[in-house]
Amino acid sequence: MIPSLADRISSMQRALHNVIIPAIAPDNGLAMEQAHLMLAHLGLIAEQADYTELYEAAELVALERLAIALAQAAGGGAQTIAAAASLRAELENRGTADAGARRTRTVALSGLVERLLDASGTDGDADFLAVSHDLIIADNRLSSTRDRAWFRSTGFETGDVALPSLATMFTLAQS
């Protein structure tokens, strides 16, 4: 049996905390800062590890929804129509569900959405420009909440902000 990812991360955290950080000279501020950053990142990775595939899957589902809506609404000149056709073709190519394929699909769809938006800036009609604006703003509101919850434990959020825990966020997404 191999050590779990959680055990390996915990071992690295203990080594940093109990051996490496105490061995850093007190006047070596940069080394101390970097060691503490590593310790914090290891904690974040440990917290997120069990949810990474769920996060990437949720990200892809949201991107596919946006891409479908944009492709359906697209209107304008030759560049916009061609970019929308390329996006629709990629949307039909579902592929496999493994993590690597999901990442590849996310990158491909993101690039094609960007291409469609760039083309619409050249020859998109007024209706598509308005609809695409609204779709992107709505998508980014959801994406922002998901991303902020993903990094919630860093403590960067201030004020009266209620973000779900990772366990809650993905339990709600699967129900």
Side-chain angles (χ1 to χ4, degrees):
M1 183 171 106
I2 63 169
S4 71
L5 181 61
D7 290 341
R8 292 164 54 201
I9 291 170
S10 178
S11 177
M12 289 185 277
Q13 288 172 308
R14 279 192 312 278
L16 273 165
H17 188 266
N18 297 333
V19 178
I20 298 168
I21 291 174
I24 297 172
D27 63 338
N28 194 342
L30 179 60
M32 188 65 76
E33 174 191 54
Q34 292 302 304
H36 280 98
L37 280 172
M38 287 178 60
L39 193 58
H41 276 288
L42 286 169
L44 191 59
I45 291 167
E47 178 187 347
Q48 295 170 341
D50 290 340
Y51 300 101
T52 300
E53 285 194 37
L54 293 170
Y55 180 90
E56 290 175 346
E59 182 179 49
L60 178 57
V61 166
L63 178 58
E64 286 174 333
R65 273 193 216 119
L66 175 62
I68 289 166
L70 288 169
Q72 289 174 344
Q79 290 182 43
T80 298
I81 299 306
S86 295
L87 181 56
R88 281 191 290 276
E90 179 61 31
L91 285 164
E92 291 175 12
N93 179 20
R94 298 288 301 189
T96 62
D98 68 69
R102 250 194 329 271
R103 289 182 197 113
T104 299
R105 182 166 172 78
T106 298
V107 169
L109 282 175
S110 294
L112 290 168
V113 164
E114 181 179 0
R115 181 174 159 216
L116 173 58
L117 296 174
D118 285 346
S120 72
T122 301
D123 67 358
D125 64 29
D127 287 342
F128 179 60
L129 294 175
V131 167
S132 64
H133 174 270
D134 292 345
L135 289 169
I136 291 165
I137 294 296
D139 176 73
N140 277 279
R141 280 193 183 110
L142 296 173
S143 175
S144 173
T145 300
R146 182 179 59 246
D147 293 348
R148 289 170 54 220
W150 185 250
F151 290 104
R152 178 184 138 185
S153 68
T154 62
F156 292 143
E157 294 290 339
T158 59
D160 189 22
V161 178
L163 293 170
S165 68
L166 297 181
T168 302
M169 181 169 61
F170 292 113
T171 299
L172 293 172
Q174 291 178 329
S175 56

